[in-house]
């Protein structure tokens, strides 16, 4: 076995164990911020090291392989998996940066917070490299079980406990549906390996198609795709704000990563069935998510419906089912991380100091914390796709890819809904800059300020100059489809 292939997973597991041990060693009344500091430093170094893992296009052109395997091809590491693992780690680093004070002041179990973040991150990385349904299921459950606990981490909050119970119930139902679908596909084809699905004609039997449909439904639950979205608003609103951020960034991106590998590797021959359905669901997500977001009075709940719409935008690239579409999904996924960091860093600060996340809580934030108000405004404009932010470049890639495949109507729906989303995003800006708050200045820690400023700089830089990130996504999508 080539353990170098799973070096990222081993490293994350070691960090999770380190967090547990360090929490036990430190005195009970001592701050646990040092645990987060060590994890942030270690993960940042590992992200930089992972750039050396990419296989260049020149090596592939000379006949080299872009794919490495572990355990008889059941675990695959290619440029596609490496890119998504970097995305997950970046999301985790930013989340820990802006949640150091939140964790210390709000949560009772501080060391466990970091350990569970590492296990959730480990599950995401397993999903990115899964090459069979059993491995994908293990990664999915490792991630979601960690989030079940993290969503209920605010022991004193009834909303947090209620959100955790709802997430557990709906998540268990979706898991059962997916697992039953996997069993049907296995019964029809005799294999759970993605490449075996591709070559097996028994997948087109009634049992095989029913199993594939149930697997898709399970993924739709995880991605909060309408009409399987009912858990998202309550869970996003009740969960601790840093965990809401990870659900919006990491969990959704992990679902997209394994969803595309299943569709393009295991089920490409039944694209005739799922592509039109996926296009319709994408449009419903964009329309429903944006319209329902307008009616919300809580910013976290509004961002929950916004994330449903964002899932619709990313599915636009999946519908294209080609190289530009896959590149656009990965490009937009990374930009979505940066935009969410800015928005949730500001919300985390507001929730910590004012005890809520509704429009009254963020009123006058421009006077109390002008840097955070500016960062949140730019982040929301990026989600809306307003130039020169990175969100504009991301949506341009998505809509161009799907138009080239003949889905002009879908791009038109996406464009109209993007314009509608500007309205409720600017409602947040209006509350921050024009409404009167308590006027008391909010103290911002250096780590939270750094997370917010770096994320907004990345949002602007990749909007003005998207070539570096575009080159990376080109490399990842090229090796995946070669």
């Amino acid at each position: 076995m080539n353990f170098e292939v799973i070096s990222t997973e081993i490293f994350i597991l070691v960090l999770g164990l380190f967090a547990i041990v360090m929490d036990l060693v430190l005195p009970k009344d001592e701050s646990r911020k040092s645990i987060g500091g060590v994890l942030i430093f270690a993960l940042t170094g590992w992200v930089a090291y992972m750039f050396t893992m990419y296989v260049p296009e020149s090596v592939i052109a000379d006949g080299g392989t872009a794919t490495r395997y572990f355990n008889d091809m059941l675990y695959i590491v290619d440029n596609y998996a490496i890119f998504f693992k970097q995305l997950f780690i970046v999301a985790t680093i930013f989340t820990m940066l802006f949640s150091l004070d939140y964790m210390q002041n709000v949560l009772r179990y501080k060391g466990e917070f970091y350990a569970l973040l590492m296990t959730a991150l480990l599950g995401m990385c397993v999903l990115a490299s899964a090459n069979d349904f059993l491995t994908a299921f293990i990664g999915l459950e490792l991630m979601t079980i960690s989030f079940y606990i993290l969503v209920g981490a605010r022991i004193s909050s009834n909303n947090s406990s209620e959100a955790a119970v709802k997430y557990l119930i709906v998540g268990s139902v979706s898991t059962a549906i997916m697992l039953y679908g996997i069993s049907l596909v296995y019964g029809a084809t005799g294999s759970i390996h993605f490449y075996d699905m591709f070559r097996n004609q028994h997948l087109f039997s009634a049992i095989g198609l029913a199993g594939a449909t149930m697997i898709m439904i399970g993924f739709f639950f995880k991605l909060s795709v309408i009409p399987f979205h009912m858990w998202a608003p309550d869970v996003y609103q009740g969960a601790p704000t840093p965990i809401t951020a990870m659900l919006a960034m990491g969990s959704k991106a992990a679902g997209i990563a394994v969803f595309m590998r299943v569709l393009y590797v295991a089920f490409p021959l039944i694209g005739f069935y799922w592509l039109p359905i996926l296009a319709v669901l994408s449009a419903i997500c964009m329309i429903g998510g944006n319209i329902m977001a307008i009616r919300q009075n809580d910013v976290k709940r509004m961002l929950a419906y916004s994330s449903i719409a964002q899932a619709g935008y990313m599915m636009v690239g999946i519908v294209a089912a080609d190289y530009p579409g896959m590149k656009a999904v990965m490009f937009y996924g990374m930009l979505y991380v940066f935009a969410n960091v800015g928005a949730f860093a500001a919300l985390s600060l507001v929730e910590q100091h004012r005890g809520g996340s509704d429009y009254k809580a963020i009123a006058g934030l421009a006077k109390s914390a002008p840097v955070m108000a500016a960062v949140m405004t730019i982040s929301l404009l990026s989600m809306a796709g307003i130039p020169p932010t990175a969100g504009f470049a991301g949506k341009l890639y998505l809509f161009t890819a799907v138009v080239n495949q003949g889905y002009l109507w879908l791009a038109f729906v996406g464009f109209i809904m993007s314009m509608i989303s500007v309205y409720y995003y600017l409602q947040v800006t209006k509350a921050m800059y024009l409404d009167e708050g308590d006027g008391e200045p909010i103290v911002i820690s250096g780590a939270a300020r750094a997370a917010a400023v770096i994320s907004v700089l990345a949002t602007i830089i990749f909007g003005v100059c998207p070539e570096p990130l575009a080159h990376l996504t080109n490399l990842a999508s090229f090796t995946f489809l070669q």
Side-chain angles (χ1 to χ4, degrees), residues 163-204:
V165 172
K166 288 181 178 178
Y167 191 24
L168 173 62
I169 293 172
V170 177
S172 300
V173 171
S174 66
T175 296
I177 293 173
M178 179 180 288
L179 192 59
Y180 189 61
I182 292 172
S183 68
L184 291 179
V185 169
Y186 177 74
T189 63
S191 176
I192 57 173
H193 198 285
F194 291 167
Y195 285 111
D196 291 341
M197 303 288 167
F198 171 75
R199 294 189 293 264
N200 200 310
Q201 296 300 314
H202 294 292
L203 184 62
F204 290 89

mmCIF file of all heavy atoms in Angstrom, residues 163-204:
data_model
loop_
_atom_site.group_PDB
_atom_site.id
_atom_site.type_symbol
_atom_site.label_atom_id
_atom_site.label_comp_id
_atom_site.label_asym_id
_atom_site.label_seq_id
_atom_site.Cartn_x
_atom_site.Cartn_y
_atom_site.Cartn_z
ATOM 1 N N ALA A 163 -31.800 22.617 16.381
ATOM 2 C CA ALA A 163 -31.181 22.480 15.058
ATOM 3 C C ALA A 163 -30.447 21.151 14.939
ATOM 4 O O ALA A 163 -30.509 20.485 13.893
ATOM 5 C CB ALA A 163 -30.222 23.643 14.816
ATOM 6 N N ALA A 164 -29.745 20.744 16.003
ATOM 7 C CA ALA A 164 -28.998 19.492 15.967
ATOM 8 C C ALA A 164 -29.938 18.298 15.815
ATOM 9 O O ALA A 164 -29.663 17.366 15.047
ATOM 10 C CB ALA A 164 -28.161 19.344 17.238
ATOM 11 N N VAL A 165 -31.074 18.326 16.534
ATOM 12 C CA VAL A 165 -32.040 17.220 16.442
ATOM 13 C C VAL A 165 -32.645 17.154 15.046
ATOM 14 O O VAL A 165 -32.770 16.075 14.450
ATOM 15 C CB VAL A 165 -33.135 17.384 17.515
ATOM 16 C CG1 VAL A 165 -34.247 16.363 17.293
ATOM 17 C CG2 VAL A 165 -32.542 17.220 18.910
ATOM 18 N N LYS A 166 -33.018 18.295 14.501
ATOM 19 C CA LYS A 166 -33.594 18.317 13.151
ATOM 20 C C LYS A 166 -32.576 17.818 12.119
ATOM 21 O O LYS A 166 -32.918 17.045 11.212
ATOM 22 C CB LYS A 166 -34.047 19.730 12.800
ATOM 23 C CG LYS A 166 -35.288 20.190 13.545
ATOM 24 C CD LYS A 166 -35.690 21.595 13.132
ATOM 25 C CE LYS A 166 -36.970 22.027 13.839
ATOM 26 N NZ LYS A 166 -37.367 23.404 13.486
ATOM 27 N N TYR A 167 -31.348 18.272 12.273
ATOM 28 C CA TYR A 167 -30.299 17.853 11.336
ATOM 29 C C TYR A 167 -30.062 16.348 11.432
ATOM 30 O O TYR A 167 -29.892 15.668 10.415
ATOM 31 C CB TYR A 167 -29.025 18.632 11.658
ATOM 32 C CG TYR A 167 -27.926 18.513 10.623
ATOM 33 C CD1 TYR A 167 -28.207 18.192 9.298
ATOM 34 C CD2 TYR A 167 -26.596 18.739 10.968
ATOM 35 C CE1 TYR A 167 -27.194 18.097 8.357
ATOM 36 C CE2 TYR A 167 -25.592 18.655 10.038
ATOM 37 C CZ TYR A 167 -25.888 18.330 8.734
ATOM 38 O OH TYR A 167 -24.879 18.234 7.802
ATOM 39 N N LEU A 168 -30.068 15.823 12.661
ATOM 40 C CA LEU A 168 -29.865 14.391 12.865
ATOM 41 C C LEU A 168 -30.985 13.578 12.222
ATOM 42 O O LEU A 168 -30.730 12.583 11.529
ATOM 43 C CB LEU A 168 -29.777 14.096 14.362
ATOM 44 C CG LEU A 168 -29.727 12.616 14.765
ATOM 45 C CD1 LEU A 168 -28.485 11.952 14.196
ATOM 46 C CD2 LEU A 168 -29.769 12.478 16.282
ATOM 47 N N ILE A 169 -32.222 13.997 12.422
ATOM 48 C CA ILE A 169 -33.363 13.233 11.896
ATOM 49 C C ILE A 169 -33.372 13.245 10.371
ATOM 50 O O ILE A 169 -33.454 12.202 9.721
ATOM 51 C CB ILE A 169 -34.680 13.799 12.449
ATOM 52 C CG1 ILE A 169 -34.766 13.550 13.968
ATOM 53 C CG2 ILE A 169 -35.877 13.161 11.745
ATOM 54 C CD1 ILE A 169 -35.937 14.228 14.635
ATOM 55 N N VAL A 170 -33.273 14.442 9.792
ATOM 56 C CA VAL A 170 -33.301 14.541 8.331
ATOM 57 C C VAL A 170 -32.066 13.897 7.722
ATOM 58 O O VAL A 170 -32.146 13.210 6.692
ATOM 59 C CB VAL A 170 -33.414 16.022 7.897
ATOM 60 C CG1 VAL A 170 -33.368 16.141 6.377
ATOM 61 C CG2 VAL A 170 -34.694 16.639 8.425
ATOM 62 N N GLY A 171 -30.910 14.090 8.367
ATOM 63 C CA GLY A 171 -29.687 13.468 7.868
ATOM 64 C C GLY A 171 -29.753 11.955 7.910
ATOM 65 O O GLY A 171 -29.268 11.278 6.989
ATOM 66 N N SER A 172 -30.367 11.402 8.950
ATOM 67 C CA SER A 172 -30.506 9.944 9.055
ATOM 68 C C SER A 172 -31.423 9.404 7.961
ATOM 69 O O SER A 172 -31.153 8.344 7.382
ATOM 70 C CB SER A 172 -31.055 9.572 10.434
ATOM 71 O OG SER A 172 -30.199 10.008 11.457
ATOM 72 N N VAL A 173 -32.489 10.137 7.667
ATOM 73 C CA VAL A 173 -33.397 9.710 6.598
ATOM 74 C C VAL A 173 -32.683 9.711 5.254
ATOM 75 O O VAL A 173 -32.785 8.754 4.465
ATOM 76 C CB VAL A 173 -34.640 10.624 6.555
ATOM 77 C CG1 VAL A 173 -35.489 10.326 5.314
ATOM 78 C CG2 VAL A 173 -35.480 10.445 7.808
ATOM 79 N N SER A 174 -31.947 10.778 4.974
ATOM 80 C CA SER A 174 -31.226 10.846 3.696
ATOM 81 C C SER A 174 -30.158 9.768 3.598
ATOM 82 O O SER A 174 -29.926 9.190 2.526
ATOM 83 C CB SER A 174 -30.596 12.230 3.525
ATOM 84 O OG SER A 174 -29.581 12.452 4.479
ATOM 85 N N THR A 175 -29.505 9.479 4.723
ATOM 86 C CA THR A 175 -28.504 8.409 4.746
ATOM 87 C C THR A 175 -29.147 7.057 4.448
ATOM 88 O O THR A 175 -28.605 6.247 3.688
ATOM 89 C CB THR A 175 -27.809 8.371 6.117
ATOM 90 O OG1 THR A 175 -27.089 9.588 6.320
ATOM 91 C CG2 THR A 175 -26.847 7.203 6.202
ATOM 92 N N ALA A 176 -30.310 6.811 5.047
ATOM 93 C CA ALA A 176 -31.010 5.545 4.807
ATOM 94 C C ALA A 176 -31.407 5.404 3.347
ATOM 95 O O ALA A 176 -31.264 4.323 2.749
ATOM 96 C CB ALA A 176 -32.237 5.459 5.709
ATOM 97 N N ILE A 177 -31.890 6.492 2.756
ATOM 98 C CA ILE A 177 -32.277 6.458 1.340
ATOM 99 C C ILE A 177 -31.070 6.163 0.463
ATOM 100 O O ILE A 177 -31.130 5.318 -0.444
ATOM 101 C CB ILE A 177 -32.933 7.797 0.940
ATOM 102 C CG1 ILE A 177 -34.275 7.964 1.656
ATOM 103 C CG2 ILE A 177 -33.126 7.880 -0.572
ATOM 104 C CD1 ILE A 177 -34.910 9.332 1.462
ATOM 105 N N MET A 178 -29.972 6.844 0.730
ATOM 106 C CA MET A 178 -28.770 6.629 -0.074
ATOM 107 C C MET A 178 -28.232 5.209 0.091
ATOM 108 O O MET A 178 -27.851 4.553 -0.890
ATOM 109 C CB MET A 178 -27.689 7.646 0.306
ATOM 110 C CG MET A 178 -26.389 7.471 -0.468
ATOM 111 S SD MET A 178 -25.117 8.659 -0.019
ATOM 112 C CE MET A 178 -25.776 10.138 -0.749
ATOM 113 N N LEU A 179 -28.204 4.723 1.332
ATOM 114 C CA LEU A 179 -27.670 3.383 1.580
ATOM 115 C C LEU A 179 -28.524 2.319 0.901
ATOM 116 O O LEU A 179 -27.994 1.341 0.346
ATOM 117 C CB LEU A 179 -27.591 3.132 3.084
ATOM 118 C CG LEU A 179 -26.797 1.897 3.531
ATOM 119 C CD1 LEU A 179 -25.362 1.974 3.037
ATOM 120 C CD2 LEU A 179 -26.814 1.780 5.044
ATOM 121 N N TYR A 180 -29.839 2.503 0.918
ATOM 122 C CA TYR A 180 -30.710 1.543 0.233
ATOM 123 C C TYR A 180 -30.485 1.604 -1.270
ATOM 124 O O TYR A 180 -30.485 0.573 -1.953
ATOM 125 C CB TYR A 180 -32.177 1.824 0.572
ATOM 126 C CG TYR A 180 -33.118 0.751 0.090
ATOM 127 C CD1 TYR A 180 -33.001 -0.561 0.543
ATOM 128 C CD2 TYR A 180 -34.119 1.036 -0.829
ATOM 129 C CE1 TYR A 180 -33.861 -1.560 0.107
ATOM 130 C CE2 TYR A 180 -34.984 0.042 -1.277
ATOM 131 C CZ TYR A 180 -34.854 -1.251 -0.805
ATOM 132 O OH TYR A 180 -35.697 -2.235 -1.250
ATOM 133 N N GLY A 181 -30.258 2.818 -1.791
ATOM 134 C CA GLY A 181 -29.946 2.949 -3.211
ATOM 135 C C GLY A 181 -28.654 2.248 -3.584
ATOM 136 O O GLY A 181 -28.562 1.592 -4.627
ATOM 137 N N ILE A 182 -27.655 2.368 -2.717
ATOM 138 C CA ILE A 182 -26.376 1.683 -2.964
ATOM 139 C C ILE A 182 -26.579 0.169 -2.983
ATOM 140 O O ILE A 182 -26.009 -0.536 -3.826
ATOM 141 C CB ILE A 182 -25.339 2.087 -1.892
ATOM 142 C CG1 ILE A 182 -24.947 3.557 -2.050
ATOM 143 C CG2 ILE A 182 -24.088 1.205 -1.983
ATOM 144 C CD1 ILE A 182 -24.086 4.090 -0.924
ATOM 145 N N SER A 183 -27.419 -0.332 -2.072
ATOM 146 C CA SER A 183 -27.670 -1.778 -2.040
ATOM 147 C C SER A 183 -28.376 -2.243 -3.319
ATOM 148 O O SER A 183 -28.089 -3.334 -3.830
ATOM 149 C CB SER A 183 -28.499 -2.138 -0.804
ATOM 150 O OG SER A 183 -29.816 -1.627 -0.904
ATOM 151 N N LEU A 184 -29.299 -1.433 -3.840
ATOM 152 C CA LEU A 184 -29.980 -1.797 -5.090
ATOM 153 C C LEU A 184 -29.013 -1.800 -6.269
ATOM 154 O O LEU A 184 -29.057 -2.698 -7.123
ATOM 155 C CB LEU A 184 -31.134 -0.824 -5.354
ATOM 156 C CG LEU A 184 -32.343 -0.896 -4.417
ATOM 157 C CD1 LEU A 184 -33.378 0.145 -4.816
ATOM 158 C CD2 LEU A 184 -32.963 -2.292 -4.427
ATOM 159 N N VAL A 185 -28.140 -0.788 -6.323
ATOM 160 C CA VAL A 185 -27.148 -0.730 -7.404
ATOM 161 C C VAL A 185 -26.199 -1.914 -7.312
ATOM 162 O O VAL A 185 -25.840 -2.523 -8.334
ATOM 163 C CB VAL A 185 -26.380 0.606 -7.355
ATOM 164 C CG1 VAL A 185 -25.175 0.568 -8.290
ATOM 165 C CG2 VAL A 185 -27.291 1.763 -7.735
ATOM 166 N N TYR A 186 -25.795 -2.266 -6.089
ATOM 167 C CA TYR A 186 -24.929 -3.434 -5.917
ATOM 168 C C TYR A 186 -25.643 -4.712 -6.342
ATOM 169 O O TYR A 186 -25.051 -5.594 -6.986
ATOM 170 C CB TYR A 186 -24.477 -3.536 -4.464
ATOM 171 C CG TYR A 186 -23.640 -4.763 -4.186
ATOM 172 C CD1 TYR A 186 -22.321 -4.837 -4.628
ATOM 173 C CD2 TYR A 186 -24.172 -5.845 -3.486
ATOM 174 C CE1 TYR A 186 -21.556 -5.961 -4.382
ATOM 175 C CE2 TYR A 186 -23.409 -6.970 -3.237
ATOM 176 C CZ TYR A 186 -22.103 -7.028 -3.682
ATOM 177 O OH TYR A 186 -21.350 -8.152 -3.452
ATOM 178 N N GLY A 187 -26.921 -4.816 -5.996
ATOM 179 C CA GLY A 187 -27.683 -6.002 -6.400
ATOM 180 C C GLY A 187 -27.822 -6.118 -7.905
ATOM 181 O O GLY A 187 -27.829 -7.226 -8.453
ATOM 182 N N ALA A 188 -27.905 -4.984 -8.596
ATOM 183 C CA ALA A 188 -28.067 -5.013 -10.051
ATOM 184 C C ALA A 188 -26.753 -5.254 -10.772
ATOM 185 O O ALA A 188 -26.709 -5.979 -11.777
ATOM 186 C CB ALA A 188 -28.685 -3.696 -10.526
ATOM 187 N N THR A 189 -25.665 -4.662 -10.271
ATOM 188 C CA THR A 189 -24.398 -4.709 -11.001
ATOM 189 C C THR A 189 -23.381 -5.663 -10.386
ATOM 190 O O THR A 189 -22.421 -6.044 -11.054
ATOM 191 C CB THR A 189 -23.769 -3.305 -11.056
ATOM 192 O OG1 THR A 189 -23.455 -2.867 -9.723
ATOM 193 C CG2 THR A 189 -24.732 -2.317 -11.701
ATOM 194 N N GLY A 190 -23.545 -6.012 -9.102
ATOM 195 C CA GLY A 190 -22.583 -6.884 -8.436
ATOM 196 C C GLY A 190 -21.310 -6.184 -8.022
ATOM 197 O O GLY A 190 -20.310 -6.829 -7.706
ATOM 198 N N SER A 191 -21.313 -4.851 -8.008
ATOM 199 C CA SER A 191 -20.106 -4.097 -7.657
ATOM 200 C C SER A 191 -20.507 -2.759 -7.058
ATOM 201 O O SER A 191 -21.609 -2.248 -7.298
ATOM 202 C CB SER A 191 -19.234 -3.867 -8.890
ATOM 203 O OG SER A 191 -18.111 -3.054 -8.572
ATOM 204 N N ILE A 192 -19.613 -2.190 -6.233
ATOM 205 C CA ILE A 192 -19.809 -0.850 -5.709
ATOM 206 C C ILE A 192 -18.735 0.105 -6.232
ATOM 207 O O ILE A 192 -18.677 1.258 -5.835
ATOM 208 C CB ILE A 192 -19.793 -0.843 -4.162
ATOM 209 C CG1 ILE A 192 -18.484 -1.446 -3.630
ATOM 210 C CG2 ILE A 192 -21.001 -1.574 -3.608
ATOM 211 C CD1 ILE A 192 -18.332 -1.313 -2.125
ATOM 212 N N HIS A 193 -17.891 -0.377 -7.127
ATOM 213 C CA HIS A 193 -16.784 0.405 -7.671
ATOM 214 C C HIS A 193 -17.306 1.304 -8.792
ATOM 215 O O HIS A 193 -18.049 0.867 -9.665
ATOM 216 C CB HIS A 193 -15.691 -0.529 -8.203
ATOM 217 C CG HIS A 193 -14.367 0.133 -8.377
ATOM 218 N ND1 HIS A 193 -14.103 0.995 -9.408
ATOM 219 C CD2 HIS A 193 -13.225 0.061 -7.636
ATOM 220 C CE1 HIS A 193 -12.849 1.424 -9.311
ATOM 221 N NE2 HIS A 193 -12.297 0.871 -8.240
ATOM 222 N N PHE A 194 -16.897 2.572 -8.789
ATOM 223 C CA PHE A 194 -17.416 3.523 -9.774
ATOM 224 C C PHE A 194 -17.118 3.088 -11.205
ATOM 225 O O PHE A 194 -17.987 3.170 -12.087
ATOM 226 C CB PHE A 194 -16.827 4.917 -9.524
ATOM 227 C CG PHE A 194 -17.306 5.567 -8.261
ATOM 228 C CD1 PHE A 194 -16.668 6.692 -7.751
ATOM 229 C CD2 PHE A 194 -18.405 5.076 -7.567
ATOM 230 C CE1 PHE A 194 -17.109 7.304 -6.588
ATOM 231 C CE2 PHE A 194 -18.855 5.672 -6.393
ATOM 232 C CZ PHE A 194 -18.190 6.788 -5.905
ATOM 233 N N TYR A 195 -15.885 2.629 -11.469
ATOM 234 C CA TYR A 195 -15.517 2.262 -12.834
ATOM 235 C C TYR A 195 -16.274 1.020 -13.304
ATOM 236 O O TYR A 195 -16.580 0.877 -14.488
ATOM 237 C CB TYR A 195 -14.004 2.034 -12.937
ATOM 238 C CG TYR A 195 -13.209 3.318 -12.917
ATOM 239 C CD1 TYR A 195 -12.410 3.648 -11.826
ATOM 240 C CD2 TYR A 195 -13.268 4.211 -13.979
ATOM 241 C CE1 TYR A 195 -11.676 4.828 -11.792
ATOM 242 C CE2 TYR A 195 -12.543 5.392 -13.959
ATOM 243 C CZ TYR A 195 -11.749 5.697 -12.860
ATOM 244 O OH TYR A 195 -11.043 6.872 -12.847
ATOM 245 N N ASP A 196 -16.588 0.124 -12.382
ATOM 246 C CA ASP A 196 -17.384 -1.048 -12.749
ATOM 247 C C ASP A 196 -18.811 -0.649 -13.116
ATOM 248 O O ASP A 196 -19.427 -1.284 -13.986
ATOM 249 C CB ASP A 196 -17.398 -2.060 -11.599
ATOM 250 C CG ASP A 196 -16.046 -2.715 -11.381
ATOM 251 O OD1 ASP A 196 -15.224 -2.671 -12.327
ATOM 252 O OD2 ASP A 196 -15.803 -3.253 -10.288
ATOM 253 N N MET A 197 -19.351 0.376 -12.450
ATOM 254 C CA MET A 197 -20.689 0.869 -12.803
ATOM 255 C C MET A 197 -20.716 1.352 -14.241
ATOM 256 O O MET A 197 -21.662 1.101 -15.000
ATOM 257 C CB MET A 197 -21.098 2.029 -11.885
ATOM 258 C CG MET A 197 -21.084 1.705 -10.430
ATOM 259 S SD MET A 197 -22.430 0.618 -9.946
ATOM 260 C CE MET A 197 -21.874 0.150 -8.319
ATOM 261 N N PHE A 198 -19.685 2.062 -14.614
ATOM 262 C CA PHE A 198 -19.617 2.645 -15.947
ATOM 263 C C PHE A 198 -19.696 1.574 -17.037
ATOM 264 O O PHE A 198 -20.320 1.772 -18.085
ATOM 265 C CB PHE A 198 -18.311 3.443 -16.076
ATOM 266 C CG PHE A 198 -18.016 3.914 -17.461
ATOM 267 C CD1 PHE A 198 -18.719 4.976 -18.011
ATOM 268 C CD2 PHE A 198 -17.035 3.300 -18.228
ATOM 269 C CE1 PHE A 198 -18.443 5.415 -19.299
ATOM 270 C CE2 PHE A 198 -16.754 3.726 -19.504
ATOM 271 C CZ PHE A 198 -17.467 4.791 -20.043
ATOM 272 N N ARG A 199 -19.109 0.411 -16.784
ATOM 273 C CA ARG A 199 -19.038 -0.639 -17.809
ATOM 274 C C ARG A 199 -20.155 -1.673 -17.689
ATOM 275 O O ARG A 199 -20.216 -2.587 -18.510
ATOM 276 C CB ARG A 199 -17.685 -1.351 -17.713
ATOM 277 C CG ARG A 199 -16.497 -0.474 -18.053
ATOM 278 C CD ARG A 199 -15.232 -1.302 -18.148
ATOM 279 N NE ARG A 199 -14.845 -1.841 -16.858
ATOM 280 C CZ ARG A 199 -13.949 -1.277 -16.055
ATOM 281 N NH1 ARG A 199 -13.385 -0.140 -16.408
ATOM 282 N NH2 ARG A 199 -13.638 -1.828 -14.894
ATOM 283 N N ASN A 200 -21.024 -1.547 -16.689
ATOM 284 C CA ASN A 200 -22.010 -2.598 -16.428
ATOM 285 C C ASN A 200 -23.377 -2.226 -17.005
ATOM 286 O O ASN A 200 -23.994 -1.239 -16.587
ATOM 287 C CB ASN A 200 -22.131 -2.828 -14.913
ATOM 288 C CG ASN A 200 -22.742 -4.168 -14.592
ATOM 289 O OD1 ASN A 200 -23.779 -4.521 -15.124
ATOM 290 N ND2 ASN A 200 -22.079 -4.914 -13.701
ATOM 291 N N GLN A 201 -23.853 -3.015 -17.948
ATOM 292 C CA GLN A 201 -25.141 -2.739 -18.590
ATOM 293 C C GLN A 201 -26.330 -3.014 -17.676
ATOM 294 O O GLN A 201 -27.433 -2.523 -17.923
ATOM 295 C CB GLN A 201 -25.271 -3.587 -19.864
ATOM 296 C CG GLN A 201 -24.254 -3.249 -20.945
ATOM 297 C CD GLN A 201 -24.374 -1.798 -21.404
ATOM 298 O OE1 GLN A 201 -25.467 -1.311 -21.644
ATOM 299 N NE2 GLN A 201 -23.232 -1.123 -21.514
ATOM 300 N N HIS A 202 -26.128 -3.785 -16.601
ATOM 301 C CA HIS A 202 -27.223 -4.087 -15.679
ATOM 302 C C HIS A 202 -27.665 -2.838 -14.901
ATOM 303 O O HIS A 202 -28.722 -2.860 -14.252
ATOM 304 C CB HIS A 202 -26.808 -5.184 -14.701
ATOM 305 C CG HIS A 202 -26.580 -6.505 -15.350
ATOM 306 N ND1 HIS A 202 -27.605 -7.250 -15.906
ATOM 307 C CD2 HIS A 202 -25.434 -7.219 -15.562
ATOM 308 C CE1 HIS A 202 -27.110 -8.365 -16.410
ATOM 309 N NE2 HIS A 202 -25.789 -8.376 -16.224
ATOM 310 N N LEU A 203 -26.862 -1.780 -14.965
ATOM 311 C CA LEU A 203 -27.260 -0.542 -14.319
ATOM 312 C C LEU A 203 -28.545 0.011 -14.936
ATOM 313 O O LEU A 203 -29.283 0.748 -14.289
ATOM 314 C CB LEU A 203 -26.133 0.493 -14.429
ATOM 315 C CG LEU A 203 -26.339 1.834 -13.720
ATOM 316 C CD1 LEU A 203 -26.490 1.639 -12.219
ATOM 317 C CD2 LEU A 203 -25.187 2.780 -14.011
ATOM 318 N N PHE A 204 -28.817 -0.373 -16.200
ATOM 319 C CA PHE A 204 -30.001 0.135 -16.894
ATOM 320 C C PHE A 204 -31.247 -0.695 -16.581
ATOM 321 O O PHE A 204 -32.316 -0.419 -17.126
ATOM 322 C CB PHE A 204 -29.754 0.139 -18.408
ATOM 323 C CG PHE A 204 -28.747 1.167 -18.833
ATOM 324 C CD1 PHE A 204 -27.387 0.867 -18.882
ATOM 325 C CD2 PHE A 204 -29.146 2.447 -19.166
ATOM 326 C CE1 PHE A 204 -26.459 1.811 -19.266
ATOM 327 C CE2 PHE A 204 -28.225 3.399 -19.551
ATOM 328 C CZ PHE A 204 -26.876 3.085 -19.598
#
